[in-house]
């Protein structure tokens, strides 16, 4: 690596050094309490997968370039130079961490490994060594925000086709406008994923609840967040914020995508609309008696996987349990405290990387598969696209003998008209 | 030799305290002058009393109790011992009636506090030699523990000598005079401090403690000051 590149990368490193990041970089005592917290370490037993080990890779660079003692006495804290080899280590650390923040619950200081890995991810982008596909996907999303008119026609045609499917299955609930788009003053702007499974059941439930809603032109997923690019994360987010402001909606409801929800909820700042996850909205419909379901529809043991970004990292824990309590008499929690639920092993962009990561994803999530199996449930519900994909892969790989289902699809399937 | 003793016991003490105070301050300022993180970094479910929760996390390490109970016992013993020893050193300077609710001669604990600390430090040290903590540790971690162990050992020796094997050449008054003279910037070394049979304990103790103070702002010992704000981030 030449000096110019190194300087550029160090500039990026510096841009990440806010108060919290410095606290996370400077407080670790390497006590090892976080060792067993990480599902990757718990599944593989490899030291390089311990949260503190990952963070030390960043910390060594930090000491070398941003701390006097790292310059004066490098061996004391093993400070290290930023080289191509260091970049490889950063890649391995960052892309074997799903950013689930389970380690944060164990650490006596609450050090956020996901935050520290965001430095690694940014340096990888700077060195053009990040997973290319994630950047491509992020760029596509940003592009769509810039030239929505180009996409509009195709989008509306696609929606027309989906409407037919909604009407076919939920005739009574469909109403006049099956999938409303661009509704000024709607109560809810629903931000879905690019896929029928994210739109059709949601539409059925909104319509059954008599909701005044409108579908967003944009997909919720934020590849900028996965690849760790703060600028693109913000651009992708802003598309939705601007649409919500333009339509003057009261609430933005994010589909079953943990990262999209967390980014929207925590990064959108003070806005005239409220941000909810679709799971929270559905729980509300149940509580207000706005939707009715057939409680016998799923007459089997059900367990629920808490998506890390939705539960531990954004607080949606009670709502899915409330919903499932309406749907089954045999709900089996995986852990007494959802804060401790194991990550599915698919976060941080790993699922989006598809086959490239499948081997690692399967090996690193053995503990998750064991946890699911232990419940002996037959349905494994979840409320995140990433988790759903990963859990389905785990189901095949570890023969978990469950049916992996989206919570929203389960509700839609159980809807009964009054 | 006497000159070296003097340097260790007087100018080096002032220098160490200055480096400690200034270094710590500069490091804290550097951290907190950075911009705030734009989003919350908390872990859910959210609890109401955030500051109280952060204080609880800072002083009682509940996550360690849950996941590494043996380590937790030693951590609590060690940190509680540190506080008692700190009070003990204060009592060498002033008569603090507040701490005389249980009448005692300084230090509290009849010498057992130092012993507990020494044992805890050995536990922390040996823990670092076994995997996986070994792979996480860097030289600084070992140096720091060894340094602390030696400080505690030589410091406690003075206490143990007086209490346990009645070797009282260096009396409480001698320590007091020395400490008081430093505090009032009229440094004076009692004869016993440098000439008695036990003076090398005092000199080594002070020398190593000086090193620790100088090392402190640049080491992970800073967690003493950073633990509360960092724990507050997790509480939201
Ligand atoms: S538990 Fe926290 S302080 Fe201890 S090694 Fe892990 S990250 Fe560092
Ligand atoms: S954030 Fe999750 S995946 Fe990353 S180190 Fe911590 S526990 Fe492991």
């Amino acid at each position: 690596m030449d000096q110019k590149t190194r300087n550029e990368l160090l500039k990026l490193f510096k841009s990440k050094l806010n108060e919290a990041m410095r606290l996370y970089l400077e407080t670790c005592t390497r006590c090892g309490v976080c060792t067993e917290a990480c599902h990757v370490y718990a599944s593989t037993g490899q030291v390089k997968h311990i949260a503190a080990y990952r963070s030390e890779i960043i910390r060594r660079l930090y000491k070398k370039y941003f701390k006097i003692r790292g310059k004066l006495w490098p061996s004391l804290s093993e400070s290290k130079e930023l080289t191509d080899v260091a970049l490889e280590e950063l890649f391995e650390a960052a892309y074997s961490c799903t950013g689930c923040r389970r380690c944060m619950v164990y650490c006596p200081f609450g050090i956020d490994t996901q935050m520290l890995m965001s430095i690694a991810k940014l340096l990888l982008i700077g060195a053009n060594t990040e997973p290319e596909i994630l950047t491509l996907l992020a760029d596509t999303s940003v592009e769509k925000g810039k030239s929505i008119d180009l996409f509009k026609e195709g989008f509306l045609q696609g929606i027309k086709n989906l409407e037919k499917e909604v009407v076919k299955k939920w005739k009574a609930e469909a109403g006049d406008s099956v999938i409303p788009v661009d509704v000024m003053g709607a109560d809810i702007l629903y931000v879905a994923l690019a896929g029928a499974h994210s739109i059709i059941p949601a539409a059925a439930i909104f319509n059954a609840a008599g909701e005044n809603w409108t579908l967003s032109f944009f997909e919720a997923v934020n590849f900028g967040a996965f690849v760790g690019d703060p600028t693109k994360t913000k651009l992708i987010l802003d598309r939705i914020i601007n649409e919500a402001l333009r339509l003057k909606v009261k609430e933005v409801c994010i589909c079953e995508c943990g990262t999209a929800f967390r980014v929207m909820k925590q990064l959108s700042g003070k806005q005239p609309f409220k941000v909810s996850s679709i799971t929270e909205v559905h729980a509300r419909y149940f509580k207000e008696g706005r939707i009715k379901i057939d409680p016998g529809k799923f007459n089997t043991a059900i367990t629920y996987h808490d998506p890390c970004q939705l539960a531990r990292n954004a607080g949606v824990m009670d709502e899915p349990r409330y919903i499932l309590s309406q749907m089954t008499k045999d709900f089996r929690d995986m852990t007494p405290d959802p804060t401790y639920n194991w990550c599915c092993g698919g976060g941080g962009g790993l699922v989006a990387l598809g086959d490239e990561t499948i081997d690692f994803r399967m090996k690193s999530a053995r503990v998750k598969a064991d946890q699911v199996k232990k419940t002996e449930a037959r349905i494994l519900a979840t409320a995140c696209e990433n988790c759903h994909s990963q859990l389905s892969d785990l189901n095949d790989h570890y023969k978990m003998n469950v049916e992996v289902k989206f919570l929203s699809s389960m509700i839609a399937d159980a809807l009964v008209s009054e | 030799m006497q000159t070296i003793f003097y340097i260790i016991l007087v100018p080096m003490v002032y220098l160490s305290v200055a480096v400690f105070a200034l270094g710590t301050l500069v490091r804290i300022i550097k951290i907190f002058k950075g911009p705030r993180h734009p989003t919350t970094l908390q872990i859910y479910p959210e609890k109401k009393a955030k500051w109280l929760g952060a204080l609880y996390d800072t002083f009682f390490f509940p996550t360690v109790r849950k996941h590494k109970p043996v380590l937790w016992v030693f951590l609590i013993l060690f940190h509680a011992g540190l506080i008692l020893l700190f009070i003990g050193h204060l009592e060498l300077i002033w008569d603090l009636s507040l701490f005389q609710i249980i009448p005692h001669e300084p230090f509290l604990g009849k010498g057992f506090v130092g012993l507990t600390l020494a044992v805890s430090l050995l536990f922390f040290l040996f823990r670092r030699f076994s995997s996986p903590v070994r792979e996480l540790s860097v030289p600084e971690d070992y140096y720091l523990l060894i340094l602390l162990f030696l400080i505690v050992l030589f410091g406690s020796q003075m206490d143990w000598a007086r209490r346990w094997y009645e070797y009282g050449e260096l009396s409480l008054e001698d320590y007091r005079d020395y400490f008081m003279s430093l505090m009032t910037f009229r440094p004076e070394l009692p004869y016993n401090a440098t000439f008695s049979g036990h003076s090398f304990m005092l000199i080594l103790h002070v020398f190593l403690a000086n090193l620790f103070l100088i090392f402190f702002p640049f080491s992970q010992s800073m967690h003493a000051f950073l633990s509360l704000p960092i724990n507050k981030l997790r509480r939201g």
Side-chain angles (χ1 to χ4, degrees):
Chain A
M1 178 185 301
D2 56 54
Q3 193 55 40
K4 191 166 161 270
T5 317
R6 184 174 296 121
N7 289 344
E8 289 298 318
L9 295 183
L10 290 174
K11 246 191 244 158
L12 290 177
F13 198 132
K14 200 165 176 207
S15 73
K16 296 293 272 183
L17 294 179
N18 60 22
E19 177 199 275
M21 191 67 92
R22 281 192 190 264
L23 280 170
Y24 291 144
L25 281 164
E26 303 203 10
T27 312
C28 178
T29 53
R30 292 168 287 275
C31 66
V33 175
C34 56
T35 302
E36 286 84 12
C38 180
H39 63 278
V40 189
Y41 175 79
S43 298
T44 66
Q46 285 184 284
V47 172
K48 65 178 177 185
H49 294 140
I50 297 174
Y53 192 94
R54 299 174 198 282
S55 312
E56 273 306 298
I57 295 171
I58 312 278
R59 227 168 252 128
R60 287 185 185 132
L61 298 172
Y62 176 65
K63 282 174 193 157
K64 172 82 192 169
Y65 297 102
F66 300 98
K67 304 299 298 178
I68 297 170
R69 79 189 142 129
K71 290 179 190 138
L72 295 182
W73 193 356
S75 63
L76 185 66
S77 49
E78 295 180 347
S79 65
K80 239 182 165 175
E81 240 176 82
L82 182 55
T83 57
D84 290 325
V85 177
L87 277 179
E88 278 168 30
E89 282 181 353
L90 288 174
F91 188 98
E92 202 185 347
Y95 284 97
S96 63
C97 167
T98 57
C100 71
R101 295 166 103 222
R102 193 172 186 269
C103 46
M104 196 168 166
V105 185
Y106 278 58
C107 173
F109 306 110
I111 291 173
D112 185 342
T113 315
Q114 187 192 33
M115 264 275 275
L116 290 169
M117 289 304 110
S118 76
I119 296 181
K121 287 190 166 183
L122 190 61
L123 294 188
L124 292 169
I125 293 172
N128 290 321
T129 47
E130 85 282 16
E132 211 180 340
I133 180 79
L134 293 181
T135 297
L136 273 173
L137 289 166
D139 287 342
T140 311
S141 299
V142 173
E143 210 38 56
K144 192 171 168 188
K146 282 191 206 146
S147 42
I148 183 65
D149 289 337
L150 284 176
F151 296 90
K152 220 168 186 171
E153 201 59 35
F155 178 78
L156 292 173
Q157 189 50 48
I159 295 301
K160 282 265 160 315
N161 297 339
L162 292 184
E163 282 189 331
K164 286 179 208 144
E165 286 187 49
V166 179
V167 176
K168 204 160 68 190
K169 212 165 159 194
W170 292 277
K171 202 164 182 9
E173 290 86 3
D176 300 336
S177 176
V178 187
I179 303 179
V181 182
D182 227 8
V183 180
M184 279 298 284
D187 287 337
I188 281 186
L189 171 69
Y190 174 57
V191 196
L193 292 169
H197 65 283
S198 176
I199 301 174
I200 295 176
I205 301 167
F206 282 133
N207 295 335
E211 187 62 83
N212 171 19
W213 69 290
T214 183
L215 178 69
S216 170
F217 279 117
F218 304 106
E219 69 291 336
V221 61
N222 197 318
F223 289 107
F226 286 144
V227 76
D229 187 325
T231 318
K232 285 179 188 159
T233 305
K234 189 78 181 51
L235 283 171
I236 294 170
L237 172 71
D238 282 347
R239 307 168 315 162
I240 301 165
I241 295 178
N242 292 337
E243 189 184 23
L245 293 174
R246 180 175 63 81
L247 295 176
K248 297 195 169 55
V249 297
K250 295 197 184 86
E251 186 172 357
V252 171
C253 168
I254 305 289
C255 65
E256 289 168 312
C257 173
T259 301
F261 173 65
R262 188 170 163 219
V263 169
M264 186 76 200
K265 176 100 185 167
Q266 299 181 350
L267 207 65
S268 57
K270 218 174 143 50
Q271 298 292 353
F273 52 81
K274 149 180 176 191
V275 178
S276 312
S277 74
I278 192 165
T279 309
E280 290 172 298
V281 172
H282 289 166
R284 196 164 78 209
Y285 290 164
F286 273 108
K287 282 183 190 153
E288 291 170 356
R290 287 170 70 177
I291 50 173
K292 293 266 175 306
I293 54 151
D294 167 10
K297 175 82 184 172
F298 301 104
N299 206 3
T300 183
I302 304 178
T303 187
Y304 176 74
H305 165 74
D306 281 289
C308 303
Q309 306 308 341
L310 194 62
R312 178 164 47 240
N313 300 332
V316 182
M317 293 172 167
D318 297 339
E319 293 82 354
R321 287 170 176 75
Y322 172 75
I323 293 172
L324 285 167
S325 73
Q326 309 290 306
M327 305 184 84
T328 177
K329 287 198 175 62
D330 191 2
F331 174 67
R332 301 178 186 181
D333 232 327
M334 290 188 205
T335 144
D337 181 350
T339 311
Y340 282 97
N341 207 2
W342 285 116
C343 171
C344 67
L350 293 189
V351 160
L353 291 173
D355 284 348
E356 214 178 292
T357 55
I358 184 99
D359 196 36
F360 173 76
R361 281 193 280 123
M362 294 304 103
K363 281 190 188 134
S364 62
R366 184 181 48 78
V367 287
K368 182 78 227 180
D370 291 346
Q371 193 184 35
V372 174
K373 278 189 196 162
K374 227 167 126 194
T375 64
E376 292 181 357
R378 293 288 71 97
I379 291 180
L380 168 57
T382 192
C384 170
E385 175 87 7
N386 255 321
C387 302
H388 187 278
S389 307
Q390 165 76 355
L391 292 168
S392 305
D393 289 342
L394 285 177
N395 194 22
D396 295 341
H397 186 83
Y398 286 103
K399 314 265 174 300
M400 285 168 8
N401 196 19
V402 289
E403 217 183 316
V404 185
K405 279 182 166 293
F406 283 111
L407 202 49
S408 61
S409 314
M410 289 174 70
I411 303 170
D413 286 344
L415 279 177
V416 285
S417 25
E418 295 188 67
Chain B
M1 210 55 185
Q2 288 299 318
T3 326
I4 295 176
F5 290 171
Y6 182 81
I7 291 174
I8 290 172
L9 291 177
V10 181
M12 193 183 174
V13 174
Y14 285 127
L15 178 80
S16 317
V17 173
V19 171
F20 166 79
L22 218 75
T24 305
L25 198 72
V26 168
R27 194 157 161 201
I28 288 178
I29 290 173
K30 234 178 152 178
I31 291 174
F32 291 101
K33 82 165 199 271
R36 303 288 292 268
H37 192 70
T39 64
T40 176
L41 289 162
Q42 76 198 89
I43 286 285
Y44 293 83
E46 193 164 22
K47 305 253 168 58
K48 279 225 170 70
K50 295 178 190 246
W51 272 111
L52 214 63
L55 280 166
Y56 175 63
D57 294 344
T58 303
F59 290 104
F60 296 101
F61 335 131
T63 67
V64 187
R65 188 183 58 218
K66 187 158 182 173
H67 304 293
K68 300 263 186 240
V70 179
L71 173 65
W72 181 78
V73 170
F74 282 105
L75 280 176
I76 286 287
L77 287 175
F78 173 75
H79 287 90
L82 273 188
I83 295 173
L84 290 179
L85 287 186
F86 182 71
I87 294 171
H89 283 83
L90 287 184
E91 286 181 308
L92 279 187
I93 311 174
W94 303 287
D95 272 325
L96 296 170
S97 53
L98 178 71
F99 298 116
Q100 286 298 345
I101 307 170
I102 315 162
H104 66 277
E105 78 168 82
F107 289 68
L108 263 163
K110 301 201 164 89
F112 284 100
V113 175
L115 187 66
T116 312
L117 236 71
V119 173
S120 307
L121 283 161
L122 282 181
F123 174 79
F124 299 148
L125 189 62
F126 287 128
R127 215 180 146 260
R128 287 217 181 266
F129 283 107
S130 66
S131 187
V133 189
R134 186 179 58 199
E135 284 86 344
L136 298 178
S137 303
V138 297
E140 170 191 338
D141 304 328
Y142 297 95
Y143 293 159
L144 200 65
L145 287 174
I146 293 169
L147 185 61
L148 277 171
F149 176 74
L150 292 176
I151 295 172
V152 170
L153 194 69
F154 293 127
S156 298
Q157 261 296 321
M158 294 185 268
D159 203 22
W160 298 338
R162 261 186 307 115
R163 291 176 194 263
W164 294 356
Y165 33 100
E166 283 159 16
Y167 191 83
E169 272 191 39
L170 255 163
S171 68
L172 261 184
E173 273 57 50
D174 291 329
Y175 295 127
R176 270 216 169 118
D177 290 347
Y178 165 57
F179 247 47
M180 214 46 209
S181 75
L182 284 178
M183 289 297 293
T184 51
F185 295 101
R186 269 183 238 117
E188 215 174 291
L189 294 180
Y191 177 82
N192 283 340
T194 47
F195 285 100
S196 77
H198 230 122
S199 58
F200 76 98
M201 287 290 170
L202 174 72
I203 292 159
L204 277 174
H205 178 68
V206 174
F207 176 69
L208 295 168
N210 285 342
L211 284 188
F212 175 71
L213 285 177
I214 293 171
F215 199 30
F216 186 99
F218 309 100
S219 75
Q220 44 127 311
S221 314
M222 278 295 289
H223 74 258
F225 294 106
L226 304 180
S227 185
L228 181 63
I230 198 173
N231 264 305
K232 176 69 178 34
L233 289 177
R234 177 171 49 189
R235 290 278 178 168

